[in-house]
Amino acid sequence: MNSSHIARNEEEVLDALYDSTLAVLDSTTQLDSEQKTRALYFSYNLCSCKECQKECGAHINKKRQIRISKNFFHNTLNQETPPPIGLLELMYTILHQLLHGIFPEHNEETINEKTEQAWKSGTTELAKQKLNRNS
Ligand SMILES: [Zn+2]
Ligand SMILES: [Zn+2]
């Protein structure tokens, strides 16, 4: 395998993860449509800044770019635990940053609460939609 092939795969995984996270955000009943719309103007990419090489999972900058730690992304995809758990962890991390971007005025504690609520209600609504479609 050459490295550009791997790189393209990575991008596809990242795109799919980001889209799935937006679907969770879009399905949550915790935000109104104006708040959800703000997230559509964010961009995202992998990051190797000093923090991301150490502890950081992801962050969002002033230009509303979500920077996902390249290390965290790689480690999560390559870890021994079943991939779905790692993928959900990445999605949760992205959702957390989306909420930082939507609510720049809120502190970490509030964003943590909002992330948990948005995740719960978003994934529940998505599951309901899927069940309705299958019935
Ligand atoms: Zn970074
Ligand atoms: Zn945070």
Side-chain angles (χ1 to χ4, degrees):
M1 262 200 282
N2 63 44
S3 60
S4 70
H5 177 79
I6 296 170
R8 193 166 321 132
N9 266 349
E10 259 173 21
E11 247 168 63
E12 280 168 15
V13 172
L14 183 60
D15 287 346
L17 274 175
Y18 193 84
D19 285 350
S20 305
T21 310
L22 282 183
V24 173
L25 185 82
D26 196 50
S27 303
T28 181
T29 52
Q30 304 288 322
L31 302 179
D32 63 32
S33 60
E34 190 268 326
Q35 291 163 338
K36 290 176 185 177
T37 306
R38 287 185 213 165
L40 300 178
Y41 299 96
F42 304 164
S43 63
Y44 59 96
N45 45 26
L46 294 177
C47 183
S48 304
C49 75
K50 240 185 197 158
E51 290 306 309
C52 282
Q53 286 183 38
K54 291 186 282 178
E55 298 273 279
C56 185
H59 53 103
I60 184 165
N61 65 19
K62 292 234 155 57
K63 290 179 188 163
R64 297 282 169 269
Q65 294 169 325
I66 294 176
R67 316 272 293 163
I68 299 145
S69 162
K70 205 170 185 169
N71 275 2
F72 177 56
F73 183 71
H74 283 177
N75 293 343
T76 305
L77 293 185
N78 297 329
Q79 69 193 356
E80 298 287 315
T81 54
I85 295 173
L87 295 179
L88 290 177
E89 196 186 340
L90 275 166
M91 283 174 64
Y92 194 89
T93 304
I94 295 170
L95 183 67
H96 182 91
Q97 297 307 322
L98 284 168
L99 288 161
H100 269 304
I102 294 171
F103 301 105
E105 70 276 22
H106 287 333
N107 64 17
E108 188 62 21
E109 198 184 334
T110 310
I111 295 297
N112 275 333
E113 274 169 31
K114 283 190 176 298
T115 309
E116 204 180 315
Q117 289 165 354
W119 179 262
K120 272 189 197 151
S121 96
T123 49
T124 306
E125 290 301 313
L126 276 179
K128 273 194 217 158
Q129 287 166 21
K130 185 141 176 61
L131 287 174
N132 287 339
R133 228 176 293 141
N134 291 346
S135 63

